Amino acid sequence: MVVMILEFRIDRRSGVPAFQQIVQQTKQALRLNILVPGDRLPTAKEVSETCAVNPNTTLKAYRELEREGLVEPRPGLGTFVTRTLARPQAGMDSPLYDELLAWMARAREAGLEREDVAALVTSATEQQYDGMMTEARSVDE
């Protein structure tokens, strides 16, 4: 049995419910191959102690992950990862990740704050994946 030490970080100012943050962070770990099939997630009690959330919050998140077929509870043993979301080209060892790190370094050197970078990434993601086009405005407007 593999016990994966995954630390959830709950941002209470984000407006995103804590259980949804746990789901999102678990999926991110699955996409980045940090979690792999067979890994055991932290217990609801462990998450409660480290994140100051009600154990039921974690159980709700784990039920959602189970409903999506990503984890399975094993009575008396814990909750285990059943499948990955990782793609070879999206891992932290891929050339794309290295390019992204280099871009992030340039953005930071240019004086952009974390929120500026997040806004740029969100905008580019929407344009590429949602077909959302933003209208360019001239500075004179």
Side-chain angles (χ1 to χ4, degrees):
M1 167 175 45
V2 176
V3 177
M4 180 61 204
I5 304 300
L6 179 66
E7 279 189 35
F8 296 109
R9 288 187 170 75
I10 305 302
D11 181 359
R12 297 183 188 326
R13 296 172 290 157
S14 73
V16 176
F19 88 92
Q20 192 62 42
Q21 291 183 51
I22 293 170
V23 170
Q24 290 170 345
Q25 290 173 34
T26 302
K27 286 181 176 181
Q28 181 175 353
L30 290 168
R31 287 186 196 291
L32 296 175
N33 233 8
I34 294 167
L35 284 175
V36 297
D39 286 346
R40 182 177 68 78
L41 297 178
T43 65
K45 181 180 178 185
E46 291 167 343
V47 177
S48 176
E49 291 170 355
T50 59
C51 296
V53 297
N54 186 305
N56 289 328
T57 299
T58 303
L59 293 173
K60 183 177 181 179
Y62 287 5
R63 280 191 304 272
E64 175 66 20
L65 292 164
E66 179 185 8
R67 187 186 66 71
E68 294 182 31
L70 300 173
V71 302
E72 71 176 2
R74 296 182 192 159
L77 297 175
T79 302
F80 291 82
V81 173
T82 56
R83 71 180 179 95
T84 185
L85 295 174
R87 297 175 189 215
Q89 64 274 28
M92 290 181 5
D93 58 348
S94 80
L96 290 173
Y97 185 73
D98 292 338
E99 290 176 33
L100 181 58
L101 285 178
W103 181 86
M104 292 276 187
R106 288 194 312 274
R108 190 172 187 183
E109 289 168 7
L112 295 180
E113 299 289 331
R114 178 186 299 256
E115 292 81 11
D116 301 323
V117 170
L120 285 171
V121 169
T122 298
S123 176
T125 301
E126 288 172 351
Q127 186 173 348
Q128 289 298 313
Y129 291 94
D130 299 336
M132 185 177 130
M133 297 300 292
T134 56
E135 192 176 307
R137 293 189 330 207
S138 70
V139 180
D140 296 334
E141 287 183 9

